[in-house]
Amino acid sequence: CQSAAEEFREVLQARERTLGVRHPDTLASRHNLATALADLNRDEEAVAEFDAVVRARTAVLGPNHPDTRASLAALEEIRRR
């Protein structure tokens, strides 16, 4: 799973360069990275990533968009650990 997190980070960096940091596809990659970090029990890093995704998705997509709500749910779940 460590290599998955590394791959997600590489994809995220590429999307940030090509699409921009607030593009929905870039935010999806950031969500995926956060999920991989959570799976590795790297909770502090995962919380930071999920928090950033929630803030960005709220600004870009709105608070009630399914993607925003999914990131918020994941953030809340990891904070309950």
Side-chain angles (χ1 to χ4, degrees), residues 1-3 9-10 14-15 18 24 26-27 36 43-44 46-48 53 59 62-63 67-71 74-75 79:
C1 198
Q2 180 69 31
S3 64
R9 192 175 306 279
E10 289 175 16
R15 284 187 168 178
T18 59
T26 303
L27 299 177
D43 292 354
E44 191 172 310
V47 165
V53 172
D67 291 345
T68 304
R69 294 172 68 94
S71 292
L75 175 61
R79 282 186 170 157

Side-chain angles (χ1 to χ4, degrees), residues 1 34-43 46 78 81:
C1 198
T35 300
L37 293 169
D39 290 346
L40 291 168
N41 295 314
R42 291 167 56 181
D43 292 354
I78 199 165
R81 288 189 190 183

Side-chain angles (χ1 to χ4, degrees), residues 49-70:
E49 290 295 336
F50 277 127
D51 187 58
V53 172
V54 168
R55 284 186 281 112
R57 281 183 163 174
T58 299
V60 173
L61 303 173
N64 294 318
H65 190 279
D67 291 345
T68 304
R69 294 172 68 94

